[in-house]
Amino acid sequence: MIDTSDIRKNLKLLIDGDPWIIVDFQFVKPGKGQAFTRTKIKNLITGNVIERTYKSGEKLEEARIDESEMAFLYSQGGAYTFMDNATYEQVELTEDQVGDAKNFLVENMNVEMLFFDGRPISIEVPNFVNLQIVDCEPATKGDTVSGATKPAKLSTGHTVNVPLFVNNEEWIVIDTRDGSYVERVKK
Amino acid sequence: MNQRGAGLNRFPGDFAGTLRLRHAITKDIRRFFDDRGYLEVETPLRVPCPCMDIYVDAFPAGASYFLSASPEFHMKRLLRLGVERMYQVTRAFRAEEAGRHHSAEFTMLEWYRTGTDYLGIREETGDLVRFLAESLGRRCAALRFPFPAMTVSELYASRAGWDPCACWDETRYFRDWAERIEPALAGLGAFFLMDFPAPLAALARLHPDNPAVCQRFELFINGLEIGNAYSELLDYGEHVARFDRAAAERVRMGRQPYPPDRGFLDALELGLPACGGIAVGVDRLVMALLGLDDIGLVQAFPAERL
């Protein structure tokens, strides 16, 4: 067993038989009062996000989640097919299970697939991925400081705001945690 | 080892700039009190009695000693010397407190003034924050003065639907604080939270007209608890009873009880002058003035960089 002092982002908990992941937390303690940790947790099976408050020192149970490195092969009709890099076994996930990660998946990308009780439940993509722009207005020279942006459609279908100096068909780095533009891929 | 070492020297943003602003603020704090005739004092960090708080865990510091969680007992003992105004900027230690707004070691500003009560301290606290904000000028986050006041009863009525002063329920009070009150604080800007329920009096006097509440306030700025003030309790017998109650409660909770502060009780028995006092978290005050929401952005060495 672990307790509230072990709480951190991405910790996986077993609550009422379901696996949950901590997406955010805040230690709350009035100077002269009881301490609590307020958490925002996501159900790894349903994707449901709720808030839960734990009293300091309360015991928690860690969820046993197995991870395997998988390569993304292709998607078809809402099904996403991955291959285990060690066993070459193929696994199919639904669009719901893939979640927001679908915005960043390109063929042959390596992802971590999470298994609970032997069943695949979701995937985790790397924090930073390189993706190609397939549709945006041509770059305008000179304006690198104003912070103005324009929308750019990526090869995955996801649209991000990029600075004006970025060109169509360029490769850019995306932060998958919030889906935002980071920088141009350095050549 | 390498992994742990990786972030130790990674300071946020323009940290040298933050340190300069922090230095300017602490210089201004001293200037504010020096100009008002306050005496700056120093009290020990290694003490036999770290505090009286049930919910504060002190670090043991050798047999029969703890690291101080607050300088208040020693500062009040100095009031016996006839010093009417005194302040201190010191370190305070509270185990098991870590988070965006908490650090186990932090800087505390504490001051006492005789011949006044918590309302006099409230006025002076507002003056101090205004003085610091004006000195920072454009670099200060937007604050509007004077700060309004709201009672604990009013805050709980509007956000939690009940009045803890009328009908005390400690478990419900602190759970509601964590789930309903604290999340709403950031939206309330800067304000004084007045008149806590009597069971949370700590070292404050009860209200003479309404013993269900005590003369205690806290200052909040944009969700940060900045300071905690009292009309100081001076009654010897009541102090003995509160020390005993706190120790018994800590034993009940399975925590180490703290011994009463003998020197402080002696001073009370001999008699202390009527006074008000306040403790202000300097790290959080710096955060509030600069508009920052993580104590690691204003402390050079928070837990993750130790």
Side-chain angles (χ1 to χ4, degrees):
Chain A
M1 289 291 255
I2 54 175
D3 70 30
T4 52
S5 64
D6 297 303
I7 286 178
R8 60 184 192 279
K9 270 190 194 172
N10 295 325
L11 178 70
K12 291 159 187 110
L13 299 173
L14 187 69
I15 301 169
D16 301 330
D18 270 3
W20 297 76
I21 184 168
I22 294 182
V23 290
D24 202 5
F25 71 96
Q26 169 93 24
F27 178 73
V28 182
K29 184 188 181 303
K32 308 242 167 244
Q34 270 181 34
F36 288 87
T37 302
R38 209 169 54 224
T39 64
K40 195 183 272 182
I41 53 177
K42 185 169 103 178
N43 186 308
L44 283 171
I45 293 173
T46 65
N48 195 16
V49 177
I50 61 167
E51 289 198 354
R52 192 173 262 226
T53 305
Y54 294 98
K55 208 166 155 175
S56 259
E58 210 171 307
K59 298 273 182 277
L60 307 167
E61 193 174 351
E62 216 171 337
R64 283 222 20 204
I65 303 286
D66 300 311
E67 295 183 7
S68 293
E69 196 185 68
M70 298 272 198
F72 173 60
L73 296 183
Y74 58 88
S75 70
Q76 198 173 34
Y80 290 73
T81 306
F82 300 84
M83 184 179 69
D84 191 312
N85 286 338
T87 65
Y88 306 115
E89 189 192 339
Q90 291 194 9
V91 178
E92 213 172 75
L93 291 188
T94 65
E95 190 166 334
D96 275 355
Q97 289 174 316
V98 171
D100 288 343
K102 68 169 184 275
N103 294 328
F104 315 111
L105 283 176
V106 290
E107 277 173 32
N108 298 322
M109 177 187 282
N110 281 333
V111 303
E112 288 294 328
M113 189 172 288
L114 308 183
F115 293 84
F116 178 68
D117 267 352
R119 284 179 299 142
I121 52 174
S122 67
I123 58 164
E124 285 177 354
V125 292
N127 288 343
F128 299 102
V129 298
N130 296 345
L131 293 171
Q132 192 179 20
I133 297 174
V134 294
D135 185 18
C136 83
E137 283 174 25
T140 49
K141 284 261 185 286
D143 190 0
T144 56
V145 289
S146 73
T149 59
K150 61 185 177 186
K153 192 172 171 194
L154 304 173
S155 56
T156 61
H158 179 57
T159 300
V160 292
N161 287 319
V162 300
L164 300 182
F165 56 78
V166 175
N167 247 319
N168 196 19
E169 298 189 352
E170 268 194 286
W171 286 80
I172 59 173
V173 181
I174 299 291
D175 186 331
T176 60
R177 288 164 294 191
D178 58 4
S180 67
Y181 165 89
V182 180
E183 60 184 13
R184 288 191 284 192
V185 174
K186 294 176 186 80
K187 290 180 183 117
Chain B
M1 196 64 193
N2 274 344
Q3 204 182 1
R4 191 181 171 272
L8 293 186
N9 288 300
R10 198 175 298 146
F11 296 101
D14 172 21
F15 197 69
T18 303
L19 285 181
R20 281 191 192 96
L21 289 174
R22 188 178 167 128
H23 179 209
I25 292 168
T26 44
K27 265 199 301 194
D28 280 337
I29 288 173
R30 288 199 160 88
R31 192 149 62 93
F32 177 86
F33 289 105
D34 295 346
D35 287 352
R36 289 181 174 218
Y38 274 76
L39 176 70
E40 182 173 9
V41 299
E42 291 176 283
T43 57
L45 291 178
R46 185 170 172 267
V47 297
C49 172
C51 62
M52 191 208 268
D53 293 82
I54 298 165
Y55 297 112
V56 171
D57 288 309
F59 291 105
S64 316
Y65 287 94
F66 296 91
L67 292 182
S68 175
S70 151
E72 72 184 301
F73 298 139
H74 285 98
M75 287 183 77
K76 286 180 193 168
R77 283 166 69 183
L78 289 175
L79 291 171
R80 291 244 347 124
L81 297 174
V83 179
E84 291 168 355
R85 297 165 171 232
M86 73 175 84
Y87 78 100
Q88 172 163 221
V89 180
T90 186
R91 301 296 268 184
F93 300 84
R94 296 180 182 185
E96 290 176 35
E97 299 195 7
R100 270 212 300 279
H101 297 170
H102 293 79
S103 174
E105 177 174 354
F106 59 99
T107 302
M108 187 179 264
L109 160 68
E110 183 137 340
W111 77 89
Y112 291 91
R113 201 171 102 213
T114 61
T116 191
D117 63 3
Y118 75 144
L119 296 179
I121 297 295
R122 184 177 75 180
E123 188 184 344
E124 196 158 41
T125 304
D127 290 348
L128 170 70
V129 179
R130 182 172 213 151
F131 176 75
L132 299 175
E134 282 170 0
S135 177
L136 279 170
R138 278 191 311 113
R139 290 162 305 184
C140 182
L143 292 174
R144 260 181 303 178
F145 299 92
F147 298 150
M150 185 190 323
T151 65
V152 170
S153 289
E154 288 164 351
L155 181 61
Y156 268 73
S158 67
R159 303 284 164 171
W162 66 295
D163 179 2
C165 298
C167 152
W168 178 241
D169 179 338
E170 180 159 316
T171 305
R172 186 177 176 197
Y173 179 89
F174 286 118
R175 185 160 283 278
D176 277 355
W177 183 273
E179 293 185 340
R180 297 161 184 252
I181 307 290
E182 201 275 345
L185 291 176
L188 296 174
F191 69 100
F192 292 106
L193 183 59
M194 310 296 297
D195 298 344
F196 281 69
L200 300 182
L203 300 174
R205 249 192 347 239
L206 297 186
H207 215 289
D209 303 328
N210 178 7
V213 302
C214 60
Q215 294 188 325
R216 169 184 165 198
F217 77 77
E218 291 195 338
L219 168 62
F220 288 88
I221 301 180
N222 299 333
L224 287 164
E225 181 190 326
I226 301 292
N228 177 61
Y230 308 136
S231 298
E232 301 295 344
L233 177 71
L234 302 171
D235 185 88
Y236 168 78
E238 178 60 24
H239 266 100
V240 171
R242 290 191 192 181
F243 268 118
D244 286 351
R245 262 207 308 276
E249 186 58 24
R250 281 188 64 83
V251 169
R252 197 189 61 75
M253 289 161 51
R255 308 241 172 196
Q256 185 178 13
Y258 305 128
D261 189 308
R262 293 279 164 215
F264 174 55
L265 286 177
D266 271 5
L268 284 163
E269 206 172 359
L270 293 165
L272 287 180
C275 62
I278 183 169
V280 167
V282 173
D283 310 271
R284 289 190 189 159
L285 181 58
V286 172
M287 289 163 69
L289 289 167
L290 301 182
L292 301 171
D293 194 44
D294 190 327
I295 203 164
L297 296 175
V298 302
Q299 268 193 349
F301 297 104
E304 66 267 21
R305 283 197 289 275
L306 277 180

